[in-house]
Amino acid sequence: MEFTTILIMALLLGLKHALDPDHIVAVTTIVSQKKKARFSALVGAWWGVGHMTTIVLIGSAIIYFNLLISHSVEKLLEGIIGAMIIYLGVKAFYSLSTEKKQEHTAARDKNGWMLRPLIVGLLHGLAGSTGVAYLFLSTIDDKYMGLLYLLVFGAGTLLSMVLATILIGMPYSWASDHKRLNLLLTRSTGLLSVIFGIYYLCEILFLS
């Protein structure tokens, strides 16, 4: 497979991978609590950085050192993702319970809020690194292309998520000036996240 073709394939797969339902649901619950467009883009960027970090580190270990990750470990990691989505949904649901709490949260998160999308991205990358690395091994024989493949794939996910979070953040930014609508939209997002997280967790535990 030609060098250019490999890079294009990695980029396209990365752009698509970022839009997986569990990724979108998780970042949406975070975006729902940040009412400015620039914060929405930063949520996507920090998620992308976290996701890219673990994809590159774990994926490289699988490709270069033949690191084996058992099916039970994969299920455990996916289960953690489901539990995390439920937690994010609950947090979003109660984020606007009182004006006082909202102000306190804003002050507390002023310098540390970016840790949440970063950690979520790290966990998503950890859970998804196995599939990405095995896909590479199944299509390409040259392992020296592995790091470049993973970097381009990670860059694709970062770009795609930044664009996605900008679009996702628009209705929340508009609703921030309408108190009741803001509350309804944020709590609906939290509730849907919890429902999806429970479904995702049940699918991993009982159906996979």
Side-chain angles (χ1 to χ4, degrees), residues 15-60:
L15 291 170
K16 179 179 181 295
H17 178 74
L19 304 180
D20 284 356
D22 58 308
H23 299 166
I24 295 298
V25 171
V27 297
T28 299
T29 59
I30 301 174
V31 169
S32 71
Q33 299 168 65
K34 299 294 177 183
K35 309 304 180 183
K36 302 296 182 182
R38 66 186 181 91
F39 283 123
S40 299
L42 287 173
V43 166
W46 280 110
W47 180 93
V49 169
H51 185 273
M52 186 175 180
T53 299
T54 44
I55 283 286
V56 170
L57 291 178
I58 305 301
S60 295

Side-chain angles (χ1 to χ4, degrees), residues 6-7 10-11 14 48 51-53 55-57 59-60 63-64 132 136 144-159:
I6 293 173
L7 296 187
L11 180 63
H51 185 273
M52 186 175 180
T53 299
I55 283 286
V56 170
L57 291 178
S60 295
I63 292 173
Y64 289 104
V132 173
F136 173 87
Y144 293 102
M145 282 292 298
L147 180 59
L148 185 58
Y149 174 91
L150 293 171
L151 286 170
V152 173
F153 179 91
T157 60
L158 192 156
L159 175 61

Side-chain angles (χ1 to χ4, degrees), residues 11-201:
L11 180 63
L12 293 176
L13 288 173
L15 291 170
K16 179 179 181 295
H17 178 74
L19 304 180
D20 284 356
D22 58 308
H23 299 166
I24 295 298
V25 171
V27 297
T28 299
T29 59
I30 301 174
V31 169
S32 71
Q33 299 168 65
K34 299 294 177 183
K35 309 304 180 183
K36 302 296 182 182
R38 66 186 181 91
F39 283 123
S40 299
L42 287 173
V43 166
W46 280 110
W47 180 93
V49 169
H51 185 273
M52 186 175 180
T53 299
T54 44
I55 283 286
V56 170
L57 291 178
I58 305 301
S60 295
I62 292 172
I63 292 173
Y64 289 104
F65 304 110
N66 297 316
L67 175 68
L68 296 177
I69 298 179
S70 67
H71 180 64
S72 59
V73 172
E74 289 183 37
K75 285 187 67 174
L76 174 62
L77 293 173
E78 293 291 350
I80 291 173
I81 296 300
M84 176 189 70
I85 291 173
I86 294 172
Y87 166 77
L88 291 172
V90 171
K91 190 173 181 64
F93 186 87
Y94 288 109
S95 64
L96 299 178
S97 57
T98 64
E99 291 295 328
K100 183 177 181 180
K101 182 177 179 180
Q102 185 181 4
E103 292 173 2
H104 173 72
T105 301
R108 184 187 60 191
D109 289 348
K110 185 175 181 180
N111 297 315
W113 67 268
M114 73 289 293
L115 288 176
R116 197 181 309 163
L118 178 64
I119 292 171
V120 171
L122 286 168
L123 290 174
H124 271 135
L126 187 61
S129 57
T130 303
V132 173
Y134 288 159
L135 177 62
F136 173 87
L137 291 173
S138 68
T139 56
I140 304 167
D141 295 327
D142 185 2
K143 292 186 178 181
Y144 293 102
M145 282 292 298
L147 180 59
L148 185 58
Y149 174 91
L150 293 171
L151 286 170
V152 173
F153 179 91
T157 60
L158 192 156
L159 175 61
S160 182
M161 186 56 79
V162 168
L163 295 175
T165 49
I166 290 173
L167 293 175
I168 292 169
M170 288 180 179
Y172 296 101
S173 178
W174 177 78
S176 63
D177 295 326
H178 306 80
K179 186 175 181 179
R180 290 185 178 180
L181 181 59
N182 183 30
L183 182 63
L184 176 62
L185 189 58
T186 303
R187 287 193 167 176
S188 296
T189 300
L191 181 60
L192 290 173
S193 178
V194 170
I195 293 172
F196 178 85
I198 293 172
Y199 164 78
Y200 188 87
L201 199 55

